[in-house]
Amino acid sequence: LDETTLLSAILLVHFTGFGGVLLLGRFAERWGAKKVIAASLMVWVGVVVAVYFLQAGNALQFYMVAFVLSIVLGGTQALSRSLFSPFRRHRV
């Protein structure tokens, strides 16, 4: 893939990651953070397995993977931080 494709994928990941935070946050309100984190990590594993079968050099497939992973990772990271923040001790 050329540099333009890679740079645009980085921008795609950054902007859609924020949407993933909002989307998975709404799911967590409905089903709970632990269940949503577990489900999103299963999606992550599924995408990683699917990446093995992608065609090398196909920009559209690369963008699709970047989009799905940004939503999953953005939401999972935000939910896990909020889930475990009450357990963290604050030292001053």
Side-chain angles (χ1 to χ4, degrees):
L1 299 171
D2 62 348
E3 291 178 5
T4 306
T5 304
L6 297 175
L7 288 173
S8 60
I10 290 171
L11 288 173
L12 173 78
V13 166
H14 279 78
F15 288 114
T16 57
F18 180 72
V21 170
L22 298 175
L23 179 68
L24 268 65
R26 287 198 179 188
F27 289 160
E29 288 175 355
R30 179 175 289 172
W31 294 300
K34 285 184 183 181
K35 289 181 182 180
V36 174
I37 290 171
S40 66
L41 292 177
M42 293 304 294
V43 171
W44 165 260
V45 170
V47 171
V48 169
V49 169
V51 166
Y52 179 77
F53 299 104
L54 295 181
Q55 297 172 351
N58 189 330
L60 179 61
Q61 291 178 351
F62 182 70
Y63 284 135
M64 289 176 14
V65 168
F67 178 76
V68 173
L69 289 183
S70 67
I71 290 175
V72 170
L73 288 180
T76 303
Q77 185 179 26
L79 281 178
S80 63
R81 285 181 179 176
S82 67
L83 180 67
F84 292 109
S85 64
F87 303 112
R88 185 175 179 192
R89 294 184 185 188
H90 298 285
R91 294 185 182 180
V92 179

